Amino acid sequence: MRRTPSRRLFTAALLVASVLAPMTAIPATAVNAAGVDRHGVGPYDGNRHCVHPHGADRHGVDRHDKDECPPKGLGPKLTARLDKAIANVRRDADIPGVIVGLWMPGKGSYVRATGVADTATGRPMTTDPFMRIGSETKTFTVTALLQLVDDGLIRLDDPISKYIHGVPGGKRITLRHLAEMRSGLYPYSADPDFVHDLLSDPGRSFTPQEVLAYGFKHKNTFKPGKQFQYSNSNLVLLGLVIEKVTGHNLVDVIDKRVLRPSHLGHTLFPLDAEFPEPHARGYTNQTLSGGVEDATDWNPSWAWAAGAMISNLNDLRRWAKIVATGTLLSPETQRERLKMLPTGFPGTNYGLGIFESDGWIGHNGSIPGYESVTVYLPSKKATLVILLNTDISYEGKEPSSVLAQKITEIVTPKNVYDRPVPPR
């Protein structure tokens, strides 16, 4: 989603538009490492044909649909245009490493990893590492919530006070308001004390109740339903609702009810700073000094249901279609999810834990050190996944959004992600 420089983690006046905002710049040597994993064997060969070295997922289930890997690339001319566009953005925005996956049924696919996964060692980026996905976590949390709606255990128009006590104005704020970012609750990640406490000790573990308390100190910013305001407080509350109703912790609920049925064997909800290998190092300037630091091992517990999860390219490729088409939900509930409302950002609307940007449906993510975009275009059954190992902003925008815009301008010019506002 579009973001201005004021939407930074350490800005108290405004909320952030992903889990956290992006940052500055780190030079990186361009290395084309597409098709090579840590063992020298790639999930894609030199022509980016899928050969699946990993086979089944951790549950012993084949994770790949019959159309998971289109049999050809997009052709030399289109591939060269994409290569050039991505290289230009990487250079201009000083992005260390980029992973891009684009799948267009009937036309082919484009899968590339360029740059470095580690600026200290020069280790090349590959297509298979685990990456932190920030606010994309919201799509998993809200899917679990909507499954409870289908089960008849909750209703979207129930007030949050029915489940969680102590929420400011909780009798008037519904679960729907929370999921569509229209609750009016102050975002805890914009509170100065929270920012200081987090950045003073990035390895600290936060509980959901602790982070909510930072936001609850403030008055609500508007009456429920009156406008859009992106707030992580909303999703943390929905995570607590899921735990209250199911009697199980959120990690287990998402694993059992969302990840396993979707065969996402390389997606997880970490309990602390755990980070499976292989993973890229992540770089941020969301620091007390404003200098660039390695945020790879920062504890994402503060983001919890709003942004703590980890995944990889192939799982996100699969998830994009599942979440956009409602595979895990009833048609009625999926229709509720996709009731998009204006956000105030031209061309971008928000439903229940999911957005639509010029036809592309899905979510982005930003957490110190990492950014991602996972979106699906129903009209062409196309999927785009972008993963970066930095959240340092470029000209006031998320570098992942700049990449997605440039890529979609080339492959789907009638549907451009985060389309720039035309000049007046």
Side-chain angles (χ1 to χ4, degrees), residues 373 375 384 386 399-409 416-417:
V373 173
V375 286
L384 175 64
I386 299 173
S400 57
S401 290
V402 177
L403 273 168
Q405 178 189 315
K406 296 299 183 184
I407 291 168
T408 54
E409 282 176 350
V416 178
Y417 179 95

Side-chain angles (χ1 to χ4, degrees), residues 122-258:
R123 174 167 55 94
M125 183 67 84
T126 62
T127 57
D128 70 339
F130 290 93
M131 302 283 275
R132 299 195 189 279
I133 60 171
S135 277
E136 289 197 38
T137 302
K138 293 176 173 66
T139 61
F140 294 91
T141 299
V142 173
T143 295
L145 182 87
L146 295 178
Q147 288 176 325
L148 300 181
V149 172
D150 276 339
D151 291 345
L153 298 176
I154 63 172
R155 296 183 305 166
L156 284 171
D157 295 318
D158 286 342
I160 185 62
S161 60
K162 180 177 179 179
Y163 306 98
I164 308 297
H165 299 298
V167 179
K171 291 183 179 180
R172 297 183 300 277
I173 297 171
T174 66
L175 305 186
R176 186 189 299 273
H177 289 142
L178 295 168
E180 66 189 11
M181 300 294 178
R182 291 175 178 269
S183 70
L185 290 172
Y186 187 90
Y188 68 82
S189 48
D191 175 73
D193 293 331
F194 167 76
V195 174
H196 179 271
D197 292 348
L198 172 63
L199 298 185
S200 296
D201 182 12
R204 171 181 170 178
S205 183
F206 288 87
T207 67
Q209 292 77 13
E210 286 173 338
V211 295
L212 286 172
Y214 289 101
F216 289 174
K217 295 186 303 181
H218 302 267
K219 292 182 179 179
N220 291 4
T221 55
F222 53 82
K223 292 182 179 180
K226 292 298 182 181
Q227 65 188 71
F228 174 89
Q229 184 187 37
Y230 197 93
S231 174
N232 291 323
S233 301
N234 296 332
L235 266 289
V236 171
L237 282 169
L238 292 180
L240 291 175
V241 170
I242 293 169
E243 292 194 332
K244 181 75 175 289
V245 172
T246 64
H248 298 285
N249 68 60
L250 181 63
V251 173
D252 290 340
V253 173
I254 288 180
D255 183 67
K256 181 179 180 180
R257 301 191 56 143
V258 181

Side-chain angles (χ1 to χ4, degrees), residues 7-11 16 19-24 195 198-199 202 283-293 295 298 302 366-369 391-392:
R7 276 194 185 85
R8 298 290 297 267
L9 165 66
F10 41 79
T11 300
V16 284
V19 175
L20 286 177
M23 315 293 146
T24 81
V195 174
L198 172 63
L199 298 185
Y283 304 94
T284 187
N285 66 354
Q286 290 200 91
T287 59
L288 289 179
S289 68
V292 175
E293 294 183 11
W298 288 16
W302 63 269
S366 186
I367 194 166
D391 67 319
I392 297 174

Side-chain angles (χ1 to χ4, degrees), residues 32 34-36 42-51 73 79 111-112:
N32 188 335
V36 182
Y44 299 86
D45 65 17
N47 297 315
R48 294 174 304 286
H49 295 170
C50 195
V51 295
T79 296
V111 177
R112 277 282 198 271

